[in-house]
Each structure stands twice: as structure tokens, then as C-alpha cells.
Amino acid sequence: MTASKGSAVRPNPTVRLLGLLESLTRPILLLLVTAVDRILTPIQRRVGIDRMGYFFVLPNLIIFGIFVLFPMLLNFYYAMTGGTKLFPADRPFVGLGNFETLFDCEDFLSPNSCQEDLFWRGVFNTIQYVILQVSGIVLFSLATALVLNRRIRARGFFRSVFFYPVLLSPVVVALIWKWVLQYEGVLNAIVEIFGGESKRWLLDTNWAMFWVVFVSVWALMGFYTLILLAGLQSIPPELYEASSIDGANTWQDFRFVTLPLLMPTMFVVLVLSLIRAVQMFDHIFVLTGGGPGTRTQLMVQYIYTTGFSNQIQLFGLSAAASMVLGVSLLILTLLQLRLGNQSSLS
């Protein structure tokens, strides 16, 4: 049916609502733009248009200075002072005394011969943890990315499933796995079904480090899988077509096409996972608390315990240990970058 000439066509309610919102917000936006223009115009005239970029970066630099740069400088000052007082003015200057305490060892390969034996136990535990965790991250993330890059059924669903643990809080992840691994937990129930014997997994020195590494790999591999998946999807499919024409099999495709082109992305994964592994604290603190004994105590937990958790809080020794950790991490990162640049040039 056609509308008569005298009847008016009613406007769409959505169009009317949008028009009403526009009429209400336009004066507010105009007022805001005018206010910002009145503030920025004198500043631009004073500093010049070429320097306005520094003005917009200034708030971020102030926040960085307050929450990053100033704590770093304060940590350096604490590392050079001793005593148990909290305020810097009350702390005596000891120079490199805290570092001498940390490195006072008869044999660096034997933590029992060191004055700060807990620190060196944390060093060796950290080295073992980093090797196992980073290797597991790289291998499992690569294998998962290769599978998820294939044309499989419900591929989008499985991609989201593998990434989901990354969205969880590390404390939540650790609590869930602590419930699974406890003596009356899910894992022991499954073991008993198959005729096995229940164990206190997190209190066993032979299993504690394994489960700490396993939980961290399970929780973090989704993030690195996503990075490697993006790297795989950036490889041109024409290369695989040319490889198949030459008669290459699946392994040869992976070795001569996928792996060389994926090496820059794998290098990124290696650097990021190494930095994260050296700084690991939350998973281990909730799962084992560094136990049994000091079996899973890493350097970061030693820093926390020495500076905050012990009854006698040695802030200077804790700050010195954190500086040793930071310098070690910087050296490892620079070494990796150098090796990565050499491999890319070759």
C-alpha cells in the first residue's frame, strides 16, 4: 500500500534517538574542544609546534619516573645501606657490603659453603627451573601452534581453549592445581582408580619441581602459542606449494620452510619466556611456598622473604639480591639479542 499525499511518514525511532543524542552531545563536545584549545594554544606558542610532542609524552614520563625510575634508584640506595630500619635516613651506608655477603662463598657450586646459602640455593633452583620451563614452553607452544594452524574441526574453539588459562589470575591457577595435587585431590583419586598409591606431590622433593614447571607451562603456553600461530600464518602458502611440487614430505616442509621462517618469532618467544621464568614468583609461592624445604625456592622468593617475610627484615640484602638478578637478566637478554642478530645476518 502507498501512503496518501496528506499523510506524513513517521521517522524511525532509532534515527530520532540518534538525532536527540547528537543535539545533546554537540554543545558538550564543542565546549570541551574550546577549553582544550584555550589551554594548548598558549603552550604551543611558548614551546613551538615542533616541541609539542614532548608535551604530550610528559604525563607518561612522569608516571614512569614515579613508579619505575624512582623505585629503581631507591633500590640501588638500599643495596648500599645496611641495618633493619625502613626509612633511608636511618640506614647506615655500607657500600658493597651486601654484595660481599651474597658472594662470600668457599665454593660457588656448593651452597652450604656460602654465607647466604639460601641465596645460592635460589640461584641453582632458578637455573634449573628456567631451563626446564623455557624448554617446555617453546616445545609445547610450537607443537600446539602447528596443530592449531592446520585445518581441523572446531579450530577456533580449540584456539580459545588453549588461550583461556592465560586470562586467569596466576593465583587462581595455582589454587586450582594445588587442589588437584593435594593428598586427597583429583590426581590421587585417578591414581587410586588405576591401582596406584597416593602421594603428597607438592611435599615430595622428587616431584615438587616437576609440578611447579608443569603448572607454569600449562598456564602460560597459550600466550606463546598465539605468538607462534601468528608467525605461522605469516608464512606465504606459495612456499609450501613449491615444496610439494619438489616432492618434499611433511618433515621436510617443517625443517626447510617452516622452521627457518619461524625462527624470528621463536626468538621472541624465547626472550619473553626467559624473562618471565627468571621472575617467576606467584605460581610457586601459592603452590609450594618454596618447599619442600628450599627445593622450589627461586631467587625472587629469596628477595621477598629476606626483605619482607622474615622476622628480621634485611632490606639492603634483599635489594642487593634484586640487583644481581636484574643484571643477570640484562646480560642474558643482551646475549640472546646478539645471538639473534648474528643468526639473522647469517
Side-chain angles (χ1 to χ4, degrees):
M1 296 177 64
T2 58
S4 60
K5 294 183 179 180
S7 61
V9 179
R10 293 184 178 181
N12 193 321
T14 304
V15 176
R16 293 181 59 187
L17 180 60
L18 292 176
L20 180 61
L21 290 176
E22 182 181 359
S23 63
L24 292 175
T25 56
R26 182 180 299 176
I28 299 176
L29 293 176
L30 183 60
L31 182 62
L32 290 175
V33 170
T34 304
V36 172
D37 182 68
R38 290 183 178 179
I39 295 173
L40 295 182
T41 298
I43 297 176
Q44 179 177 334
R45 291 174 181 173
R46 186 174 184 84
V47 302
I49 191 171
D50 295 333
R51 297 187 180 91
M52 282 300 293
Y54 297 102
F55 172 80
F56 290 110
V57 176
L58 184 61
N60 191 25
L61 293 179
I62 293 174
I63 295 175
F64 176 81
I66 294 175
F67 294 102
V68 178
L69 185 59
F70 175 72
M72 289 175 59
L73 297 176
L74 187 62
N75 184 76
F76 177 78
Y77 176 81
Y78 271 86
M80 298 296 176
T81 58
T84 58
K85 300 294 184 180
L86 176 61
F87 294 101
D90 300 331
R91 301 181 57 81
F93 182 78
V94 297
L96 299 177
N98 292 316
F99 296 95
E100 293 175 356
T101 302
L102 292 177
F103 289 93
D104 185 9
C105 290
E106 296 179 3
D107 183 6
F108 287 100
L109 297 179
S110 176
N112 292 329
S113 66
C114 302
Q115 181 177 347
E116 281 296 318
D117 58 322
L118 294 179
F119 172 76
W120 287 100
R121 293 181 191 278
V123 170
F124 289 115
N125 288 340
T126 301
I127 294 174
Q128 181 185 7
Y129 175 84
V130 167
I131 294 175
L132 295 176
Q133 200 249 21
V134 173
S135 301
I137 284 286
V138 173
L139 292 176
F140 286 105
S141 298
L142 178 59
T144 307
L146 290 172
V147 173
L148 295 179
N149 193 46
R150 301 176 65 89
R151 295 181 179 179
I152 59 177
R153 184 176 298 179
R155 182 172 60 177
F157 169 76
F158 287 110
R159 288 178 179 179
S160 61
V161 166
F162 278 96
F163 187 74
Y164 180 72
V166 181
L167 304 178
L168 297 176
S169 167
V171 175
V172 172
V173 170
L175 287 175
I176 292 174
W177 278 101
K178 190 173 184 178
W179 172 71
V180 172
L181 297 172
Q182 63 184 356
Y183 186 74
E184 298 179 354
V186 177
L187 181 60
N188 279 331
I190 298 174
V191 170
E192 291 178 357
I193 291 175
F194 290 95
E197 184 180 354
S198 297
K199 289 186 177 182
R200 300 186 183 275
W201 302 102
L202 298 179
L203 298 179
D204 191 335
T205 55
N206 297 321
W207 284 98
M209 181 61 75
F210 167 80
W211 285 113
V212 162
V213 173
F214 176 85
V215 171
S216 62
V217 171
W218 178 87
L220 300 174
M221 64 174 289
F223 173 72
Y224 303 105
T225 299
L226 191 65
I227 296 176
L228 291 174
L229 189 59
L232 288 172
Q233 291 178 348
S234 65
I235 299 177
E238 293 81 6
L239 297 178
Y240 294 105
E241 295 176 1
S243 178
S244 62
I245 293 175
D246 293 336
N249 54 31
T250 304
W251 166 249
Q252 291 172 333
D253 283 342
F254 173 76
R255 181 180 177 183
F256 296 108
V257 179
T258 303
L259 197 58
L261 295 177
L262 197 62
M263 284 304 296
T265 308
M266 290 188 63
F267 180 73
V268 172
V269 169
L270 183 63
V271 172
L272 293 178
S273 60
L274 177 65
I275 295 174
R276 182 71 174 89
V278 174
Q279 297 176 337
M280 179 58 67
F281 174 76
D282 35 26
H283 288 150
I284 299 177
F285 184 76
V286 176
L287 275 173
T288 64
T294 58
R295 183 65 184 90
T296 58
Q297 176 180 289
L298 305 189
M299 291 180 66
V300 176
Q301 186 168 353
Y302 169 83
I303 295 169
Y304 167 77
T305 303
T306 304
F308 302 99
S309 181
N310 286 344
Q311 186 174 3
I312 300 176
Q313 299 174 344
L314 302 176
F315 301 111
L317 197 62
S318 176
S322 68
M323 290 192 63
V324 173
L325 176 62
V327 172
S328 303
L329 187 58
L330 178 62
I331 292 173
L332 287 174
T333 304
L334 293 177
L335 181 61
Q336 283 186 327
L337 291 175
R338 184 175 180 85
L339 294 175
N341 291 332
Q342 289 179 352
S343 62
S344 62
L345 291 176
S346 62

